[in-house]
Amino acid sequence: MLELQNLSKYFGGVRAVDSLSLKIEPGQIFGLIGPNGSGKSTTVNLITGLLGVTNGSIRLSGEEITRLPTHVRLSSGIARTFQNIRLFGQLTVWQNLWVAENSRAQRERTSFLARWLGGESGARARITKALEFSGLSHKANELAANLAFGEQRRLELARAMAAEPKLLLLDEPAAGMNAEEIGALDERIRQIRDSGITVLLIEHHMELIMAIADRIAVLNFGQKIAEGTPAEVQANPAVREAYLGTAETSTRGTA
Amino acid sequence: MDFYLGLLQIMGVHTLLGLSAYVVLLTGQVSLAQAGFMAIGAYVAAMLTVLSGWPLIAALIAGALVAGFMACLVGFPALRVHGLMLVVATLAFTEIVRLFFFNFDYQIARGSIRVGPLGGEGFRQIRYFPENGWTTLHVAIFIWSVVALVMAALWWMDRSRAGAVLRAVGEDEIAAQSCGINLTAVKVSAMTAGGAIAGLAGGIYAHYTTHIEQTNFTIMVATFAIAYPILGGLSSIFGTVAAVVFIQGFLIEGLRFLGDWRNLLFGALIVLVMNIRPSGLLDARTMATLRRLFGRREG
């Protein structure tokens, strides 16, 4: 589905992402973890094209997308959510989804007038479905800015889903959520995968990612230090070192 | 009576001007180029009726199209600059257009007189209305019919997906791009539509005043253009109309008895309104209340 080859991004002398190669198979939940500043969000921004790559290539379903502008990538089958929620606050919940659904309509070559001016019935049905999926049906006419935090997170996910992507990038979707909300999120991400969408999940919440990821890659200082099933990654000494420090440094730290 | 009809005509043209800035403001671009587009529309439409003998409607449409085309050209470089830099760049455009017409001579003989734009002297004898026997009332009705048409089109656009997309770009460009929106296409389209509406306003203005010159299209006009939607609020086109009535009807005409003190109070009242109603005369909440009062459901 998604293939990164020797992907690098340097900011001056800082190697935010350093020769990263990943292969995400269709239908997987692929977890990307790592300590703060390890290059996870940069990777997402490289995949979506918000940042230009220094080196390397990105392929989506075998097609080279490394040099395509953001809106082309995002309308051709990638959707994302943001670590810091970025909704259109002064638009209603419905309008937020309506905007995103446009890229689906574009892909299917819906006629210009129906797409921009008409209340196309297919779009209505899809948006209604996305609202039900995220439990926001009763808030459809509310301004997005007036929603509670958890609802805003759900709306952002619904907005990404409204585009009917092949690949969904989730940048820390559980940040700021309580245990109950994380439980619901866990369920929702599984449902998304079961509907045939590949998920790249960036998360700090280990319990969540270990529970639902099919495969995990670990980043540290922009480099991939481990990759495998959740069990393999948890057993990997390099990962323990990256997260906890080595035995020596941690004793030195506490002394 | 003629005074009030004249006031109605001014309000009509300024409503169009405000709406032209409204469309552009929705995408988060503050443009001071609207006065320039208005000047282009005014000169083009007037030259077509006076020099080429075109019918009025065709000339107005042509003026709007030329202004829209220029706006499209301005839209591309404008993409590269944001915020204050965009204000400065569009202000420069308005000045360039004004100075162009300051130096623009194109006169032909019509009987014993010469007609056409003459640099700093301006463009006199745009006598389409009097020559064809239109009264002030006719002109006022015509102007407001055009305004109603443009308002209906924008109102419809505002409620469509296109309206949501314009606002989405205005709110958060990164999120909009990440929803697959082509920022270039959206911003340039908004600029083009805004330019065409300003051009239309210019064409109408030229014909009802019968005399235009470069001083009619200064930065002051550009400031008015963006003041209307900002003061009126961006939640609906009716905010812009309310602001035009408030400024042109109440502040400028209603305070005339104050003489020289008027401008002082004018400024003070705008500051006061912006403080009491920071998101415009008709903000989202007022609109929601109005909708409830009239029992309308949101689509």
Side-chain angles (χ1 to χ4, degrees):
Chain A
M1 172 61 51
L2 182 75
E3 203 177 337
L4 309 181
Q5 268 172 353
N6 295 320
L7 194 66
S8 299
K9 177 67 186 176
Y10 306 156
F11 295 107
V14 180
R15 301 185 164 203
V17 174
D18 197 1
S19 296
L20 176 63
S21 295
L22 284 180
K23 198 167 178 201
I24 302 178
E25 300 293 339
Q28 272 187 342
I29 297 178
F30 193 99
L32 190 59
I33 62 174
N36 283 328
S38 57
K40 306 184 296 291
S41 285
T42 307
T43 306
V44 171
N45 287 336
L46 291 174
I47 296 171
T48 55
L50 286 178
L51 291 173
V53 303
T54 309
N55 263 319
S57 77
I58 307 166
R59 284 166 183 278
L60 180 70
S61 311
E63 264 177 74
E64 172 90 31
I65 60 166
T66 322
R67 305 277 162 211
L68 292 181
T70 298
H71 69 91
V72 176
R73 299 187 203 191
L74 276 284
S75 58
S76 65
I78 304 181
R80 72 168 295 181
T81 63
F82 289 89
Q83 187 176 349
N84 315 310
I85 304 173
R86 297 189 90 129
L87 290 168
F88 308 119
Q90 295 306 308
L91 262 54
T92 64
V93 168
W94 178 280
Q95 286 176 315
N96 266 275
L97 300 185
W98 207 9
V99 167
E101 203 271 346
N102 183 43
S103 53
R104 199 260 343 145
Q106 212 171 348
R107 271 204 308 279
E108 292 179 9
R109 305 191 184 285
T110 312
S111 86
F112 180 84
L113 285 179
R115 185 147 63 85
W116 288 109
L117 300 173
E120 187 205 338
S121 62
R124 277 180 191 280
R126 273 186 196 84
I127 295 171
T128 310
K129 206 179 86 188
L131 281 175
E132 274 165 18
F133 175 72
S134 43
L136 289 168
S137 301
H138 59 297
K139 300 262 177 165
N141 290 327
E142 196 82 42
L143 290 186
N146 295 345
L147 297 184
F149 179 79
E151 291 170 334
Q152 293 195 346
R153 279 237 179 266
R154 259 149 53 204
L155 175 57
E156 226 199 6
L157 184 57
R159 186 176 67 180
M161 294 296 293
E164 298 199 339
K166 293 180 281 186
L167 172 69
L168 179 63
L169 311 176
L170 300 175
D171 196 353
E172 299 202 21
M177 282 189 169
N178 61 33
E180 194 186 324
E181 288 169 327
I182 290 177
L185 178 69
D186 175 313
E187 186 53 38
R188 226 170 248 130
I189 296 176
R190 284 175 205 266
Q191 279 174 12
I192 289 172
R193 176 198 48 199
D194 295 343
S195 71
I197 296 170
T198 312
V199 178
L200 174 62
L201 174 64
I202 290 183
E203 192 45 76
H204 265 311
H205 199 273
M206 283 305 149
E207 230 171 285
L208 174 70
I209 207 155
M210 291 299 168
I212 65 174
D214 298 304
R215 205 169 168 78
I216 292 176
V218 188
L219 291 187
N220 197 21
F221 298 114
Q223 288 180 321
K224 184 169 77 177
I225 56 170
E227 187 182 336
T229 63
E232 286 167 4
V233 164
Q234 270 173 309
N236 189 317
V239 176
R240 288 167 175 274
E241 193 179 312
Y243 269 92
L244 303 171
T246 57
E248 290 155 53
T249 50
S250 62
T251 41
R252 215 180 295 148
T254 50
Chain B
M1 191 60 193
D2 264 9
F3 167 78
Y4 290 103
L5 287 176
L7 184 59
L8 262 183
Q9 294 176 348
I10 296 174
M11 281 185 186
V13 167
H14 279 249
T15 303
L16 287 179
L17 189 62
L19 291 175
S20 84
Y22 172 87
V23 179
V24 181
L25 270 172
L26 283 186
T27 62
Q29 305 180 95
V30 179
S31 158
L32 286 181
Q34 304 315 107
F37 302 141
M38 185 182 179
I40 293 169
Y43 274 86
V44 169
M47 284 172 72
L48 286 174
T49 58
V50 174
L51 304 179
S52 312
W54 283 35
L56 179 69
I57 307 264
L60 289 181
I61 291 174
L65 288 179
V66 174
F69 176 72
M70 287 305 292
C72 181
L73 294 186
V74 171
F76 281 100
L79 284 172
R80 302 215 142 264
V81 287
H82 285 93
L84 274 180
M85 294 313 288
L86 179 63
V87 173
V88 173
T90 50
L91 186 148
F93 174 78
T94 284
E95 274 298 278
I96 290 169
V97 171
R98 189 180 68 76
L99 291 170
F100 172 80
F101 287 118
F102 187 52
N103 291 293
F104 181 61
D105 297 336
Y106 187 87
Q107 287 206 307
I108 60 169
R110 170 77 29 93
S112 57
I113 54 165
R114 292 179 68 78
V115 290
L118 182 64
E121 294 277 301
F123 186 171
R124 292 164 198 277
Q125 307 289 333
I126 308 169
R127 300 184 53 79
Y128 184 92
F129 286 139
E131 275 170 11
N132 288 279
W134 294 48
T135 65
T136 319
L137 178 66
H138 289 149
V139 176
I141 292 172
F142 171 73
I143 292 177
W144 277 92
S145 309
V146 175
V147 173
L149 225 89
V150 171
M151 279 178 65
L154 287 183
W155 181 78
W156 188 38
M157 185 279 297
D158 232 346
R159 293 168 59 88
S160 71
R161 167 140 53 189
V165 166
L166 288 183
R167 287 166 192 275
V169 169
E171 285 226 8
D172 188 335
E173 291 189 3
I174 289 181
Q177 269 179 304
S178 301
C179 287
I181 294 174
N182 183 343
L183 290 186
T184 308
V186 170
K187 286 175 147 188
V188 173
S189 306
M191 199 63 131
T192 307
I197 297 172
L200 191 60
I204 292 175
Y205 174 75
H207 285 89
Y208 89 70
T209 55
T210 71
H211 167 216
I212 50 174
E213 52 182 305
Q214 41 90 20
T215 52
N216 298 137
F217 308 104
T218 55
I219 293 157
M220 188 62 192
V221 176
T223 317
F224 268 111
I226 57 164
Y228 297 132
I230 290 176
L231 185 69
L234 286 178
S235 55
S236 132
I237 52 167
F238 299 109
T240 303
V241 183
V244 170
V245 173
F246 177 70
I247 292 183
Q248 291 296 333
F250 176 64
L251 290 188
I252 293 191
E253 294 304 327
L255 300 180
R256 218 173 258 289
F257 67 94
L258 289 171
D260 288 345
W261 293 94
R262 184 180 62 165
N263 288 341
L264 192 72
L265 198 66
F266 175 79
L269 269 174
I270 287 189
V271 171
L272 187 73
V273 169
M274 295 310 285
N275 271 288
I276 297 173
R277 304 199 68 88
S279 29
L281 289 171
L282 295 183
D283 55 12
R285 191 179 302 165
T286 321
M287 287 309 289
T289 317
L290 285 175
R291 246 177 237 128
R292 216 171 301 128
L293 279 178
F294 293 105
R296 287 255 302 285
R297 235 161 40 85
E298 260 290 78

